[in-house]
Amino acid sequence: MSTTELHAELERALKLCQAGDFADAEQIYRKLTHTYADAPDAWNMLAVVLYQQQTRLDEAAGAARRATQLRPHIAPYWLMRGNIDLAGKRFSDASESFGRAITIDPAFAEAHYRLALSYHGAY
């Protein structure tokens, strides 16, 4: 599969996500992460669809970790990682991830909001 095909498949899966078809999108993202183990967008979007399904947060966390390992300077990747930790009630980890997102992009309002939620949940 070429880089062009990778981008086409990412776009196809995104359209499925937008239509609410997370199961089919998940299959595409799993295929992409298998074929392109170093494709951070595929890992991040796999984390997104697993998070959206709220059934496999541990798998989602693993995919989000891989995305942030591959591209550690992408604030939305850290936001997703924090959202997964927040959903799993891992408040300290969530706070750390949201803090990383804010360090990367200090104007990232959603990261500030989620950071506050993680602090609130910890008490």
Side-chain angles (χ1 to χ4, degrees):
M1 190 181 287
S2 70
T3 303
T4 302
E5 291 171 320
L6 168 65
H7 292 293
E9 286 295 286
L10 285 169
E11 183 65 31
R12 185 167 74 97
L14 179 60
K15 288 180 182 177
L16 290 168
C17 287
Q18 291 168 338
D21 188 352
F22 298 118
D24 286 343
E26 177 187 344
Q27 290 178 359
I28 293 170
Y29 292 129
R30 286 191 184 280
K31 177 181 140 193
L32 293 175
T33 57
H34 179 73
T35 305
Y36 295 97
D38 293 334
D41 291 338
W43 285 106
N44 184 64
M45 290 306 297
L46 177 59
V48 169
V49 298
L50 292 170
Y51 169 76
Q52 290 293 332
Q53 295 175 68
Q54 292 288 308
T55 57
R56 293 170 292 184
L57 291 176
D58 288 339
E59 285 183 71
R65 275 192 303 277
R66 181 70 176 139
T68 57
Q69 289 168 348
L70 292 168
R71 290 187 71 195
H73 301 296
I74 305 298
Y77 287 7
W78 287 102
L79 181 75
M80 177 49 45
R81 190 167 164 173
N83 284 338
I84 294 164
D85 287 331
L86 192 60
K89 298 185 184 330
R90 294 181 296 272
F91 301 115
S92 178
D93 292 339
S95 296
E96 183 178 327
S97 293
F98 296 136
R100 291 284 299 268
I102 292 165
T103 298
I104 295 165
D105 182 359
F108 197 177
E110 187 172 353
H112 285 276
Y113 173 71
R114 295 289 182 164
L115 179 61
L117 289 178
S118 68
Y119 289 152
H120 180 70
Y123 295 102

